[in-house]
Amino acid sequence: MTALRLLAAAAVIHLALVLPSAPMPAGDALLRIAPELPLVLLALACLGRVGRVAIAAVLALLAVQKIADLAMTAALGRPFNALADMTLIGSGLDLLADAAGRPALWAGSVAAAVAAAAGLWALWRACGVWSGGPVRSRGRLGLATLAALSLTAAGSDLGWHGNAPYARAKAALLHRTAQDLRQIRALAARDALAGADGLLSAIDRDVLVIFVESYGRASFDVPFHAERHLDRLRRAQRRLADAGLAMRSGFLAAPTRGGQSWLSHATFANGLWVADQARYGAVLASGRQGLFHHARRAGFRTAAVMPAITMAWPEAATMGFDRILSADDLGYRGRPFNWVTMPDQFTLAATDRLLRRSDDPRPLFAQIALISSHAPWVPVPRLLPWDRVEDGRVFDAMAAAGDPPQAVWRDRDRVRAAYREAVDYSLETVLDYALIHAADPPLMIVLGDHQAAPWVAQDDSPDVAIHLIGPAALVDRAADWGLAPGLIPPAGSPALPMDRMRDLILRGFGGHVPRTQGPCRPRLRVP
């Protein structure tokens, strides 16, 4: 019985050690051998109850970190960074509530808590079995030590998957993140464009920076998505050209995938690579002059139209916006589309009503975040005649149509199809908006914030699309940026880093501004 107990306890500890940190077939994960197992068992046997607490705590921490990596990789395509990502837990739970329903979230949370408690209890008990003294003599202790060291060395030679490289990589990640935070604060303080004159002086009209949620290279390269989205872009390109509008397009490398749109917003506006929450906070606290600060200094009215903001947003006070329109400020009286507070068409119509039809003679420079293509992607609105939008109640029937997210998200293929339809709606809406304003067009900079989660987009690329739409005299200035004419960039077009856009816009639409020495952007990337 004692031998069976020892064997069962060793199996529990082995499971904690071989738990994968990245998705893989369950069989492959469970059949792996952890070379540290003999040393862990020996340490428990030698240290007894004194070492039980420390070793159990280390194993539990290792298991929690790996589970966090698995969840983050599935959602955002990258591992979990404990120094930068803790604030995402609440946002992730909110998204799950919208996709699966609040009761399902509570049930899942309770089940996860019970499973976690059971796992920790089993690990604690397993460590207790081995710390009870199975080694009875110095001779056996010496043999056990020799066997443990030999097995560990053999496991290393055989390519067995140990946790030491994983732990070293995590420690290095935290160290690099801390260094990056120090470096980004220094870079934020060194800004060659601070106080420069003539920026944006070539622009004589409104500028709209429109982020299309989850609009990435998958819309061009993945056949399932491209067959719908490329057709949409081709038809819009012909209509916009017939209306006298110029277009240029390309790709940008975004700092995030699957979520955290605000990191792309900050990267685009500040000209620094903001790839996690820690750097986001560092940039906002630095006093860095972003795109909207410069626009305000150049004589524009600045605004942020943010239909996803439903709570206090104190960070916005540092971003250079004269006016911030959150969900409650836009006047929507219709039903929400699950997590999505209002359709993109209403957001753009509200921008015209509240900002662009103004007695203020200054042109507008606004950031607009469209969210109809945000998860859970159901239901998808339809584009209406613009004069029917009014207060949004005309969308109520659409908001109640189709299956709820809880039904759609049981089938990955249905989720991908819903994502494709949602992006198609967003593209149709923003391109139709450009068309109805063709007689007196604003300069529109339309771009994706990030790709959808890799399993939805079916593409691991971090690249998003960017389109400039407006008068030829302004749009053609982007030829020097590498953007191609039209709405569809050539296949395989390289992506500009998104953090180059602030300086390209400020310089490209202004007078002569002295250039900085060396590369345009800091390469601060944490894998």
Side-chain angles (χ1 to χ4, degrees):
M1 182 62 69
T2 300
L4 288 176
R5 290 180 66 236
L6 289 172
L7 185 61
V12 171
I13 296 171
H14 177 260
L15 286 176
L17 291 169
V18 299
L19 185 70
S21 60
M24 66 169 55
D28 292 350
L30 296 178
L31 292 176
R32 296 193 305 170
I33 297 177
E36 306 96 341
L37 180 63
L39 284 177
V40 171
L41 299 181
L42 179 63
L44 286 167
C46 294
L47 298 176
R49 292 178 177 83
V50 176
R52 178 185 182 184
V53 173
I55 293 173
V58 169
L59 292 175
L61 181 63
L62 180 68
V64 168
Q65 176 67 62
K66 288 183 175 182
I67 292 170
D69 280 349
L70 285 168
M72 185 68 81
T73 300
L76 299 180
R78 63 174 176 82
F80 182 79
N81 185 335
L83 193 59
D85 294 333
M86 292 299 292
T87 57
L88 298 180
I89 295 174
S91 299
L93 291 175
D94 287 341
L95 180 58
L96 286 174
D98 289 314
R102 191 70 58 178
L105 175 64
W106 280 109
S109 299
V110 171
V114 171
L120 293 175
W121 178 84
L123 190 60
W124 175 252
R125 292 286 296 172
C127 290
V129 170
W130 277 88
S131 65
V135 178
R136 298 300 183 185
S137 69
R138 289 185 177 181
R140 290 182 181 180
L141 177 59
L143 290 174
T145 303
L146 181 61
L149 293 173
S150 300
L151 187 55
T152 301
S156 177
D157 292 338
L158 292 172
W160 292 353
H161 299 277
N163 287 278
Y166 175 77
R168 287 196 298 270
K170 284 298 173 185
L173 172 63
L174 295 178
H175 178 67
R176 287 197 305 274
T177 301
Q179 285 184 319
D180 284 351
L181 291 176
R182 290 192 294 270
Q183 188 178 3
I184 203 167
R185 293 188 188 101
L187 288 167
R190 297 197 303 269
D191 185 358
L193 296 185
D197 294 324
L199 302 178
L200 304 174
S201 59
I203 303 177
D204 60 350
R205 62 196 60 239
D206 291 351
V207 180
L208 306 180
V209 178
I210 302 176
F211 284 94
V212 177
E213 175 72 33
S214 303
Y215 176 39
R217 196 186 278 265
S219 292
F220 299 80
D221 292 354
V222 177
F224 179 75
H225 305 301
E227 64 180 2
R228 174 63 59 83
H229 300 159
L230 291 183
D231 179 64
R232 174 70 62 194
L233 293 170
R234 289 189 190 100
R235 286 186 284 147
Q237 180 175 292
R238 289 193 295 267
R239 296 174 67 198
L240 293 174
D242 290 343
L245 293 175
M247 297 151 276
R248 283 190 175 269
S249 301
F251 295 104
L252 302 177
T256 182
R257 283 179 289 173
Q260 294 182 277
S261 304
W262 57 92
L263 301 182
S264 289
H265 299 170
T267 296
F268 183 89
N270 288 284
L272 294 172
W273 193 255
V274 184
D276 57 49
Q277 195 66 20
R279 276 182 266 187
Y280 181 77
V283 169
L284 294 186
S286 70
R288 172 84 167 185
Q289 296 295 290
L291 181 61
F292 298 95
H293 295 98
H294 285 288
R296 183 164 59 189
R297 186 169 177 268
F300 290 86
R301 294 176 290 129
T302 60
V305 182
M306 307 295 289
I309 299 295
T310 59
M311 297 181 290
W313 188 29
E315 299 96 331
T318 67
M319 296 178 182
F321 300 121
D322 295 325
R323 189 174 179 186
I324 297 164
L325 300 178
S326 63
D328 289 342
D329 301 317
L330 294 173
Y332 184 67
R333 299 293 178 262
R335 297 178 58 173
F337 285 63
N338 293 305
W339 182 91
V340 176
T341 55
M342 64 194 70
D344 291 346
Q345 186 177 15
F346 185 89
T347 299
L348 293 172
T351 299
D352 282 356
R353 171 170 45 84
L354 297 171
L355 293 174
R356 299 197 63 212
R357 297 171 191 157
S358 171
D359 294 332
D360 193 321
R362 295 176 298 163
L364 173 70
F365 204 114
Q367 171 181 293
I368 305 170
L370 301 183
I371 58 173
S372 285
S373 49
H374 192 290
W377 302 300
V378 287
V380 179
R382 297 189 314 276
L383 185 67
L384 298 174
W386 290 86
D387 58 4
R388 290 188 56 200
V389 171
E390 297 179 344
D391 67 356
R393 280 180 280 194
V394 68
F395 294 104
D396 282 355
M398 302 180 202
D403 290 332
Q406 297 92 312
V408 174
W409 277 62
R410 296 191 188 107
D411 184 337
R412 287 196 168 199
D413 289 338
R414 291 191 68 188
V415 174
R416 293 179 182 126
Y419 162 73
R420 180 179 66 176
E421 297 300 319
V423 172
D424 186 61
Y425 163 77
S426 293
L427 291 176
E428 179 185 19
T429 300
V430 74
L431 295 170
D432 199 66
Y433 178 84
L435 186 64
I436 67 171
H437 289 289
D440 183 19
L443 176 62
M444 294 171 57
I445 304 173
V446 180
L447 69 155
D449 51 2
H450 54 70
Q451 287 261 49
W455 67 270
V456 178
Q458 300 170 284
D459 187 355
D460 290 331
S461 168
D463 299 346
V464 298
I466 181 170
H467 309 289
L468 266 64
I469 305 171
L474 293 176
V475 171
D476 287 346
R477 286 175 173 251
D480 291 340
W481 309 352
L483 302 187
L487 292 177
I488 303 176
S493 296
L496 286 168
M498 188 179 283
D499 59 355
R500 287 192 59 192
M501 290 307 300
R502 186 202 73 152
D503 289 7
L504 287 173
I505 292 169
L506 293 176
R507 296 179 190 278
F509 295 111
H512 175 71
V513 180
R515 291 190 176 275
T516 57
Q517 298 296 317
C520 293
R521 78 175 195 71
R523 295 190 175 273
L524 288 175
R525 300 201 184 194
V526 177

